[in-house]
Amino acid sequence: MNYISPEKFFSLDALPLILDVRTPAEFAKGHIPNALNLPLFNDKERAEVGTLYKQKSKEAAILRGLEIAGAKMSGYVVKAKEMVKVAEVGVHCWRGGKRSESMATLLSFVGFKPLVIEGGYKAYRQFIREKLTLPNLKLHVLGGKTGSGKTDVLNSLNDLGEQVIDLEKLAHHKGSAFGALGEEPQPTSEQFENNLFDVIRKLDFSKRIWLENESKSIGRIFIPDGFWQQMNLGVYFEMEVPFENRVARLVKDYGSFPKDDLIASVNKIQKRLGGQHVKKAIEHYENGELAEAAEITLNYYDKAYQHGTDQKRFERKYRLETSNNDPKLSAEKLIEFANEFGY
């Protein structure tokens, strides 16, 4: 049996495909990005074996596990060959125990070369939490009030060869009460951390990395503490975009969504926006007056954004005034500015 630590596994020049042999429920809660689920037990079977272990004995649990898995061995092989077309494959369960060892042994009999990840998914999670805490990233945080077009600028920075982490893309959420519109369902916070690490591990740490200024929470997921602290100590660049430009952008970005969805979104911030403001915004949405509704919500978000930014301890802060609607021009200015000051 070939074992490999998470650190060594993720330092390989080319990562093999990973077979996660935990239950579908475990996999859904969080998994290594791009891993494929080949469960040794389904959720019900896993619960049954666990109950035997607690209420009877380890031996009884192992025997029942062998009985369940033995009847499905040929099915595991067929499925594995459908999933993986090369010999080398990573295999893990929760703690790198019996489930991964059993599957790896079976796969080795039929020509695979399995690498069992030591400590399983539990060790992987500990490994990435440590990596997300290390203060070795040259983070450049792009700020700007709602509607400034920060995401478009980040995309342009990426097109111009800069390193970018798009936290909102990873979170499937744009951060505001309207942030879920047009997005896929959010991952769990655990899966968000896994996906974030998968992006970071591919970056060159000796070069700067751009990302957007965010709250600790993006929708219902949370940025991990260690990475959050690094963000707040990065170099901060704030885009100053005229109010009317930001209103126009919000109308462009959200105006095509159903009226009922927009009203539901503004109702989410009723307590903070105030009943009268919410009532007026809804009236504007009902009348198709999107710009007027956007102005009301922007006044709230501007105050909230400024308060949140003032609480952060950025090492250096710079401002970039821009009235153009061309994200590429803004990106070029940011690169020029960062180069000028040696960042």
Side-chain angles (χ1 to χ4, degrees), residues 136-141 165 200 203 207-211 227-237 316:
N136 55 356
L137 302 177
K138 297 181 178 180
L139 297 182
H140 285 41
V141 182
I165 300 173
I200 290 175
L203 300 176
K207 298 179 179 179
R208 64 187 171 226
I209 301 166
W210 297 88
L211 72 169
F227 188 76
W228 171 250
Q229 292 168 8
Q230 288 194 66
M231 284 178 62
N232 295 341
L233 294 174
V235 184
Y236 180 65
F237 297 84
R316 295 169 293 275

Short mmCIF file of all heavy atoms in Angstrom, two decimals, residues 136-141 165 200 203 207-211 227-237 316:
data_model
loop_
_atom_site.label_atom_id
_atom_site.label_comp_id
_atom_site.label_asym_id
_atom_site.label_seq_id
_atom_site.Cartn_x
_atom_site.Cartn_y
_atom_site.Cartn_z
N ASN A 136 2.03 34.75 3.98
CA ASN A 136 3.06 34.81 2.94
C ASN A 136 2.48 35.21 1.59
O ASN A 136 3.07 34.95 0.55
CB ASN A 136 3.77 33.46 2.81
CG ASN A 136 2.79 32.31 2.57
OD1 ASN A 136 1.58 32.52 2.58
ND2 ASN A 136 3.31 31.13 2.37
N LEU A 137 1.32 35.86 1.60
CA LEU A 137 0.68 36.27 0.36
C LEU A 137 0.76 37.79 0.21
O LEU A 137 0.46 38.53 1.16
CB LEU A 137 -0.78 35.83 0.34
CG LEU A 137 -1.05 34.32 0.49
CD1 LEU A 137 -2.54 34.06 0.51
CD2 LEU A 137 -0.39 33.55 -0.64
N LYS A 138 1.14 38.25 -0.96
CA LYS A 138 1.21 39.68 -1.25
C LYS A 138 -0.15 40.14 -1.77
O LYS A 138 -0.36 40.30 -2.97
CB LYS A 138 2.31 39.96 -2.27
CG LYS A 138 3.70 39.60 -1.77
CD LYS A 138 4.77 39.92 -2.80
CE LYS A 138 6.16 39.61 -2.26
NZ LYS A 138 7.22 39.90 -3.26
N LEU A 139 -1.07 40.35 -0.81
CA LEU A 139 -2.44 40.64 -1.18
C LEU A 139 -2.65 42.12 -1.48
O LEU A 139 -2.27 42.99 -0.69
CB LEU A 139 -3.39 40.20 -0.06
CG LEU A 139 -3.41 38.70 0.23
CD1 LEU A 139 -4.44 38.40 1.32
CD2 LEU A 139 -3.72 37.88 -1.02
N HIS A 140 -3.26 42.40 -2.63
CA HIS A 140 -3.65 43.73 -3.04
C HIS A 140 -5.18 43.75 -3.06
O HIS A 140 -5.79 43.07 -3.89
CB HIS A 140 -3.10 44.07 -4.41
CG HIS A 140 -1.63 44.38 -4.41
ND1 HIS A 140 -0.72 43.66 -3.67
CD2 HIS A 140 -0.92 45.34 -5.06
CE1 HIS A 140 0.49 44.17 -3.86
NE2 HIS A 140 0.39 45.19 -4.69
N VAL A 141 -5.77 44.50 -2.15
CA VAL A 141 -7.21 44.47 -1.95
C VAL A 141 -7.86 45.63 -2.70
O VAL A 141 -7.53 46.79 -2.48
CB VAL A 141 -7.55 44.56 -0.45
CG1 VAL A 141 -9.06 44.49 -0.24
CG2 VAL A 141 -6.84 43.43 0.31
N ILE A 165 -7.76 36.45 -7.15
CA ILE A 165 -8.65 35.54 -6.43
C ILE A 165 -10.03 36.17 -6.43
O ILE A 165 -10.21 37.25 -5.85
CB ILE A 165 -8.19 35.30 -4.98
CG1 ILE A 165 -6.80 34.69 -4.94
CG2 ILE A 165 -9.17 34.38 -4.25
CD1 ILE A 165 -6.21 34.59 -3.53
N ILE A 200 -5.44 29.18 -4.40
CA ILE A 200 -4.21 29.76 -3.84
C ILE A 200 -2.99 28.89 -4.11
O ILE A 200 -1.91 29.40 -4.41
CB ILE A 200 -4.39 30.00 -2.32
CG1 ILE A 200 -5.38 31.13 -2.09
CG2 ILE A 200 -3.05 30.33 -1.66
CD1 ILE A 200 -5.71 31.36 -0.63
N LEU A 203 -0.94 29.63 -7.22
CA LEU A 203 -0.41 30.96 -7.43
C LEU A 203 1.08 31.03 -7.11
O LEU A 203 1.62 30.22 -6.37
CB LEU A 203 -1.17 31.97 -6.56
CG LEU A 203 -2.67 32.09 -6.80
CD1 LEU A 203 -3.28 33.06 -5.81
CD2 LEU A 203 -2.97 32.52 -8.23
N LYS A 207 4.70 36.93 -6.19
CA LYS A 207 4.08 38.01 -6.95
C LYS A 207 2.80 38.48 -6.27
O LYS A 207 2.22 37.76 -5.47
CB LYS A 207 3.78 37.54 -8.39
CG LYS A 207 5.01 37.15 -9.18
CD LYS A 207 4.63 36.67 -10.57
CE LYS A 207 5.86 36.29 -11.38
NZ LYS A 207 5.51 35.81 -12.74
N ARG A 208 2.36 39.66 -6.61
CA ARG A 208 1.16 40.22 -6.00
C ARG A 208 -0.10 39.47 -6.44
O ARG A 208 -0.16 38.89 -7.52
CB ARG A 208 1.03 41.71 -6.32
CG ARG A 208 0.85 42.01 -7.79
CD ARG A 208 0.89 43.51 -8.05
NE ARG A 208 0.93 43.79 -9.48
CZ ARG A 208 1.75 44.66 -10.05
NH1 ARG A 208 2.62 45.34 -9.32
NH2 ARG A 208 1.72 44.87 -11.36
N ILE A 209 -1.10 39.52 -5.57
CA ILE A 209 -2.36 38.84 -5.80
C ILE A 209 -3.49 39.84 -5.52
O ILE A 209 -3.53 40.45 -4.45
CB ILE A 209 -2.51 37.63 -4.86
CG1 ILE A 209 -1.37 36.64 -5.08
CG2 ILE A 209 -3.87 36.94 -5.08
CD1 ILE A 209 -1.26 35.60 -3.97
N TRP A 210 -4.36 40.02 -6.49
CA TRP A 210 -5.47 40.96 -6.36
C TRP A 210 -6.74 40.23 -5.91
O TRP A 210 -7.01 39.11 -6.36
CB TRP A 210 -5.76 41.66 -7.68
CG TRP A 210 -4.64 42.52 -8.19
CD1 TRP A 210 -3.60 42.12 -8.98
CD2 TRP A 210 -4.45 43.92 -7.96
NE1 TRP A 210 -2.77 43.18 -9.25
CE2 TRP A 210 -3.26 44.31 -8.64
CE3 TRP A 210 -5.17 44.89 -7.25
CZ2 TRP A 210 -2.79 45.60 -8.64
CZ3 TRP A 210 -4.69 46.19 -7.24
CH2 TRP A 210 -3.52 46.54 -7.94
N LEU A 211 -7.52 40.88 -5.06
CA LEU A 211 -8.82 40.36 -4.68
C LEU A 211 -9.68 41.51 -4.22
O LEU A 211 -9.19 42.62 -4.00
CB LEU A 211 -8.72 39.28 -3.61
CG LEU A 211 -8.35 39.68 -2.18
CD1 LEU A 211 -8.57 38.49 -1.25
CD2 LEU A 211 -6.90 40.14 -2.07
N PHE A 227 -7.08 33.70 6.61
CA PHE A 227 -7.04 34.42 5.34
C PHE A 227 -7.67 35.80 5.48
O PHE A 227 -7.19 36.79 4.90
CB PHE A 227 -7.77 33.62 4.26
CG PHE A 227 -7.61 34.19 2.88
CD1 PHE A 227 -6.43 34.01 2.18
CD2 PHE A 227 -8.64 34.89 2.28
CE1 PHE A 227 -6.27 34.55 0.91
CE2 PHE A 227 -8.49 35.43 1.01
CZ PHE A 227 -7.30 35.26 0.33
N TRP A 228 -8.71 35.90 6.27
CA TRP A 228 -9.37 37.18 6.54
C TRP A 228 -8.39 38.18 7.18
O TRP A 228 -8.34 39.35 6.81
CB TRP A 228 -10.57 36.94 7.45
CG TRP A 228 -11.24 38.16 8.01
CD1 TRP A 228 -11.22 38.57 9.30
CD2 TRP A 228 -12.04 39.11 7.31
NE1 TRP A 228 -11.96 39.71 9.45
CE2 TRP A 228 -12.47 40.07 8.24
CE3 TRP A 228 -12.44 39.24 5.98
CZ2 TRP A 228 -13.29 41.15 7.89
CZ3 TRP A 228 -13.25 40.32 5.63
CH2 TRP A 228 -13.67 41.25 6.58
N GLN A 229 -7.60 37.69 8.12
CA GLN A 229 -6.62 38.56 8.77
C GLN A 229 -5.57 39.04 7.77
O GLN A 229 -5.14 40.20 7.81
CB GLN A 229 -5.97 37.81 9.93
CG GLN A 229 -6.92 37.55 11.09
CD GLN A 229 -6.38 36.57 12.10
OE1 GLN A 229 -5.22 36.17 12.03
NE2 GLN A 229 -7.21 36.15 13.04
N GLN A 230 -5.15 38.16 6.87
CA GLN A 230 -4.19 38.57 5.85
C GLN A 230 -4.78 39.64 4.94
O GLN A 230 -4.10 40.59 4.55
CB GLN A 230 -3.77 37.35 5.01
CG GLN A 230 -2.88 36.36 5.72
CD GLN A 230 -2.24 35.41 4.73
OE1 GLN A 230 -1.43 35.80 3.90
NE2 GLN A 230 -2.63 34.15 4.80
N MET A 231 -6.03 39.47 4.55
CA MET A 231 -6.69 40.46 3.70
C MET A 231 -6.65 41.84 4.34
O MET A 231 -6.37 42.84 3.68
CB MET A 231 -8.16 40.06 3.46
CG MET A 231 -8.38 38.94 2.48
SD MET A 231 -10.15 38.54 2.33
CE MET A 231 -10.82 40.09 1.71
N ASN A 232 -6.94 41.89 5.63
CA ASN A 232 -7.03 43.17 6.33
C ASN A 232 -5.68 43.83 6.56
O ASN A 232 -5.61 44.98 7.01
CB ASN A 232 -7.75 42.99 7.66
CG ASN A 232 -9.19 42.57 7.48
OD1 ASN A 232 -9.76 42.74 6.40
ND2 ASN A 232 -9.79 42.02 8.51
N LEU A 233 -4.61 43.10 6.26
CA LEU A 233 -3.26 43.67 6.39
C LEU A 233 -2.62 43.91 5.02
O LEU A 233 -1.45 44.27 4.94
CB LEU A 233 -2.38 42.72 7.22
CG LEU A 233 -2.78 42.55 8.69
CD1 LEU A 233 -1.92 41.48 9.35
CD2 LEU A 233 -2.64 43.87 9.44
N GLY A 234 -3.38 43.72 3.97
CA GLY A 234 -2.84 43.88 2.63
C GLY A 234 -2.74 45.34 2.21
O GLY A 234 -3.04 46.26 2.97
N VAL A 235 -2.31 45.56 0.98
CA VAL A 235 -2.27 46.90 0.40
C VAL A 235 -3.65 47.18 -0.18
O VAL A 235 -4.19 46.38 -0.94
CB VAL A 235 -1.20 46.99 -0.72
CG1 VAL A 235 -1.12 48.42 -1.24
CG2 VAL A 235 0.15 46.53 -0.20
N TYR A 236 -4.22 48.32 0.18
CA TYR A 236 -5.61 48.62 -0.16
C TYR A 236 -5.67 49.71 -1.23
O TYR A 236 -5.06 50.76 -1.11
CB TYR A 236 -6.36 49.07 1.08
CG TYR A 236 -7.81 49.42 0.86
CD1 TYR A 236 -8.72 48.46 0.47
CD2 TYR A 236 -8.26 50.73 1.03
CE1 TYR A 236 -10.06 48.76 0.27
CE2 TYR A 236 -9.59 51.05 0.84
CZ TYR A 236 -10.49 50.07 0.46
OH TYR A 236 -11.80 50.38 0.25
N PHE A 237 -6.40 49.41 -2.30
CA PHE A 237 -6.62 50.37 -3.38
C PHE A 237 -8.13 50.60 -3.48
O PHE A 237 -8.87 49.67 -3.80
CB PHE A 237 -6.09 49.83 -4.71
CG PHE A 237 -4.61 49.60 -4.73
CD1 PHE A 237 -4.08 48.41 -4.23
CD2 PHE A 237 -3.75 50.54 -5.24
CE1 PHE A 237 -2.72 48.18 -4.25
CE2 PHE A 237 -2.38 50.32 -5.26
CZ PHE A 237 -1.86 49.14 -4.77
N ARG A 316 -1.33 49.79 4.01
CA ARG A 316 -1.20 50.99 3.15
C ARG A 316 -2.51 51.17 2.41
O ARG A 316 -3.11 50.21 1.94
CB ARG A 316 -0.05 50.81 2.15
CG ARG A 316 1.32 50.72 2.83
CD ARG A 316 2.40 50.27 1.86
NE ARG A 316 2.18 48.88 1.45
CZ ARG A 316 2.61 47.83 2.14
NH1 ARG A 316 3.27 48.01 3.26
NH2 ARG A 316 2.38 46.60 1.71
#
